Amino acid sequence: MKPALIPALFLLCALLFVLSLLIGPADVGGGDSLMALFRDDGPLTLVMREIRLPRSVLAVMVGASLGLAGAAIQGFLRNPLAEPGLIGVSGSAALGAVLALQTGLAASFVLALPLMALAGALVSVGLILVLAGPGGQSFGLILAGIAISALAGALTSLVLNLSPNPYAANEIMFWMMGSLADRSWLHVAIAAPVMAIGWMALAGTGHGLDALTLGEDAAASLGIALPRLRLRMIFGVAATVGAVTAVAGAIGFVGLVVPHLLRRAVGAQPSRLLPASALGGAAMILAADIAVRLVLPSRDLKLGVLTALVGAPVFLHLIWRERTKT
Amino acid sequence: MLLASPGQLVSVSALAADPMVSLMAQEAQAYQVNNGQAETLYLLDADLILAGTYSSQATVDMLRRLGMRVETIAPANSVAEIRSLIIQMGALLGTKDRADQVLARFDADLARLPAGDTTPLAATYEPNGYTTGRHTLAGDVMRLAGYALLTDRLGMDHGGTLPLEQLVMGHPDLIISGSRYDRSTRSEEILTHPVLAALQTRRTNVPDRDWICGLPHIARLAAELSAQR
């Protein structure tokens, strides 16, 4: 592993973070807007502190969560095709979130939104791990993922269509494709605790995942308790992806592309891939969120559209490589 | 409902009877409520069916093919259009005298609106960041009530999506939002964004039904808004 990888990714994130603070529909120079962050400058300060800053902070949190979850689940299943969005975890989390909103639960208890999303994600991760089997065979994994995604998507659409609220049906796109537009500190605050728990759960899996690269028997003989690792994995992925989806909608492919790009740089070692992937994911979402604001500033282009445009070719390439390998 | 003679109107659309969007939902209860589908309307056997220009074209064509008389009415986008709508409806329904009365009262109500010396800056702000411009009924009513429109400064004559950032930078004196529905959605969250509270702008709610349709009731709304100036 190149020793400078983590600092380099960190620098990239920092640069993109500042850049993302400078972009928005209010037509103001970069210097002025950064100054307004620190001293009170009327409406511009409000725009910077209450609109752009939470959006950028949320982009970092969302990206890091998705990158981390992707790297972790790929390590656990030892399959580069596994990704929370593709295997239906994001879709199920979205269903949980929509249920929380439409039953009125989210209105009575603030954390109900991320917790219900976590519950939705939990069901699907559990199902996937059962259906895909111990070795995480690609075929079973992808098929189970397709079925779960389709079901969760259909139920989400149904719930939104049945809503008495005329705006609900228009939001199918947000829940399927994700967006960070007009998010506030409130969203940062409700996602942060659930995300943090997920991060902690996943951060501790590095050692186990390293051992698992040698095979399950070898890992067990190294003293890795597989059932515990599995539980930790299920909970960690569900918490991070659930919290992301609750506030930003389902954003796919980040957990696929980022580990794929970084795997060689960390010598294919899961414990090193986890932090690198978190930083890489943050950079990817920051970049995607900058792009949606530059390409179609007035139309709230969805983040998931951009990540899919980048991610789908990578996914197809991986399937192709897997096919030619056997 | 306002202009028809007693017994002349046989049925109203479900929208007219929905208290969320109709000011005359109470009155609408006295009539048969229809679902706007060709089958239902044909069986009513009415001499005249009034459709909006936004009604399903397929339904209108079907009814005409079946030999019904269907007139399409364009929704009013200004106070002037409400006036011509009242005249048009009076002619269609053969109740010109009634229409003249309603019109005279409408004009009198409008004439009573006070002319203010200040013109505070106002903007409507709806779910998904939608705002209305000068070429809409809402925009016209706000100007009539003595407000300047933020959308005019931004060149958005017909309204459209106004990013939250631009609303904050425009710093209007009054933000007018519409009805809140049951069950929260992401589209509506923009209206409770903390930045709007921090902006310390006066906010008021005008239910959607108050200016969704061009009715003479608009004069009352304009008077209320004018009083808040």
Side-chain angles (χ1 to χ4, degrees):
Chain A
M1 163 161 143
K2 301 176 196 81
L5 180 69
I6 296 285
L9 284 171
F10 195 81
L11 197 65
L12 179 67
C13 281
L15 275 175
L16 288 167
F17 185 84
V18 173
L19 196 58
S20 106
L21 283 176
L22 300 183
I23 293 166
D27 199 14
V28 209
D32 287 347
S33 32
L34 284 184
M35 286 300 282
L37 257 184
F38 301 106
R39 58 145 206 253
D40 204 2
D41 197 6
L44 184 56
T45 299
L46 287 179
V47 165
M48 293 306 293
R49 287 188 190 162
E50 298 288 336
I51 300 179
R52 293 197 194 167
L53 194 57
R55 181 176 186 152
S56 302
V57 168
L58 207 54
V60 170
M61 288 162 58
V62 161
S65 297
L66 292 173
L68 186 64
I73 202 162
Q74 289 182 9
F76 185 72
L77 292 170
R78 281 156 289 152
N79 188 330
L81 294 176
E83 197 267 339
L86 290 172
I87 60 177
V89 181
S90 300
S92 309
L95 176 60
V98 166
L99 280 174
L101 286 173
Q102 293 301 324
T103 53
L105 212 59
S108 49
F109 170 50
V110 184
L111 280 181
L113 182 68
L115 290 180
M116 282 287 282
L118 183 148
L122 212 52
V123 170
S124 67
V125 190
L127 264 177
I128 283 287
L129 290 190
V130 171
L131 288 170
Q137 293 301 311
S138 296
F139 196 61
L141 185 72
I142 302 299
L143 284 184
I146 288 173
I148 292 173
S149 296
L151 180 65
L155 290 177
T156 304
S157 307
L158 177 71
V159 172
L160 290 173
N161 267 322
L162 290 179
S163 167
N165 190 314
Y167 297 105
N170 290 326
E171 292 179 0
I172 295 172
M173 196 161 65
F174 164 75
W175 291 110
M176 305 249 168
M177 282 293 149
S179 163
L180 288 171
D182 300 322
R183 304 278 81 184
S184 63
W185 286 117
L186 183 71
H187 300 102
V188 174
I190 63 174
V194 179
M195 255 180 209
I197 294 172
W199 290 345
M200 284 189 278
L202 291 181
T205 58
H207 178 58
L209 293 180
D210 281 351
L212 209 52
T213 54
L214 306 170
E216 277 174 27
D217 297 336
S221 66
L222 283 172
I224 302 297
L226 274 179
R228 269 194 58 193
L229 183 64
R230 174 185 287 249
L231 276 181
R232 213 183 166 114
M233 177 67 55
I234 292 177
F235 185 77
V237 169
T240 47
V241 177
V244 164
T245 311
V247 294
I251 303 168
F253 292 106
V254 177
L256 180 90
V257 173
V258 173
H260 174 68
L261 291 178
L262 296 173
R263 186 165 288 118
R264 193 167 299 165
V266 296
Q269 195 178 340
S271 59
R272 286 170 163 179
L273 185 58
L274 291 179
S277 219
L279 284 172
M284 181 169 172
I285 289 291
L286 279 169
D289 194 44
I290 290 169
V292 296
R293 283 179 284 175
L294 287 179
V295 178
L296 283 174
S298 56
R299 297 299 300 276
D300 187 21
L301 179 64
K302 299 291 179 259
L303 272 181
V305 175
L306 278 190
T307 54
L309 283 177
V310 176
V314 174
F315 183 60
L316 295 176
H317 165 73
L318 287 174
I319 292 183
W320 180 255
R321 212 175 56 183
E322 184 128 327
R323 214 196 69 168
T324 47
K325 211 160 58 183
T326 48
Chain B
M1 284 187 268
L2 214 53
L3 297 173
S5 326
Q8 191 179 12
L9 183 64
V10 290
S11 174
V12 296
S13 77
L15 283 178
D18 179 351
M20 274 316 260
V21 293
S22 168
L23 262 185
M24 300 184 72
Q26 193 78 48
E27 291 89 329
Q29 303 306 321
Y31 304 93
Q32 192 184 334
V33 175
N34 70 65
N35 57 9
Q37 289 180 359
E39 204 173 295
T40 324
L41 293 170
Y42 181 69
L43 291 174
L44 285 172
D45 200 22
D47 300 315
L48 172 65
I49 294 173
L50 296 170
T53 39
Y54 291 123
S55 299
S56 151
Q57 192 56 45
T59 309
V60 171
D61 289 346
M62 163 80 77
L63 288 167
R64 285 196 173 133
R65 229 174 13 251
L66 292 170
M68 312 289 288
R69 181 176 167 218
V70 184
E71 294 289 340
T72 50
I73 311 281
N77 283 325
S78 66
V79 170
E81 281 178 36
I82 294 181
R83 296 190 79 254
S84 50
L85 207 60
I86 295 172
I87 298 170
Q88 188 192 1
M89 287 293 281
L92 278 171
L93 296 170
T95 53
K96 190 173 171 310
D97 291 350
R98 232 183 138 99
D100 285 345
Q101 276 173 24
V102 170
L103 196 60
R105 208 169 57 219
F106 184 43
D107 285 341
D109 286 347
L110 290 176
R112 268 204 301 276
L113 286 175
D117 29 349
T118 56
T119 49
L121 190 63
T124 59
Y125 212 50
E126 304 291 340
N128 290 319
Y130 191 81
T131 184
T132 45
R134 62 159 52 225
H135 292 320
T136 62
L137 187 54
D140 208 29
V141 171
M142 283 155 69
R143 282 191 302 153
L144 212 58
Y147 291 91
L149 301 184
L150 177 62
T151 41
D152 275 352
R153 298 200 180 169
L154 300 169
M156 299 168 72
D157 284 354
H158 293 272
T161 311
L162 177 66
L164 195 54
E165 283 189 16
Q166 278 181 316
L167 179 74
V168 173
M169 293 302 282
H171 206 315
D173 301 302
L174 176 70
I175 297 177
I176 306 175
S177 301
S179 317
R180 295 305 301 267
Y181 291 85
D182 260 5
R183 307 285 181 255
S184 52
T185 54
R186 187 181 177 274
S187 312
E188 291 160 293
E189 278 180 5
I190 194 167
L191 302 177
T192 51
H193 196 290
V195 74
L196 291 181
L199 194 59
Q200 293 177 332
T201 286
R202 230 152 28 86
R203 301 190 66 183
T204 189
N205 273 66
V206 173
D208 294 347
R209 60 175 185 208
D210 280 6
W211 49 18
I212 210 167
C213 288
L215 288 170
H217 302 78
I218 283 292
R220 203 174 55 207
L221 174 63
E224 278 168 23
L225 285 177
S226 176
Q228 288 184 28
R229 200 160 48 179

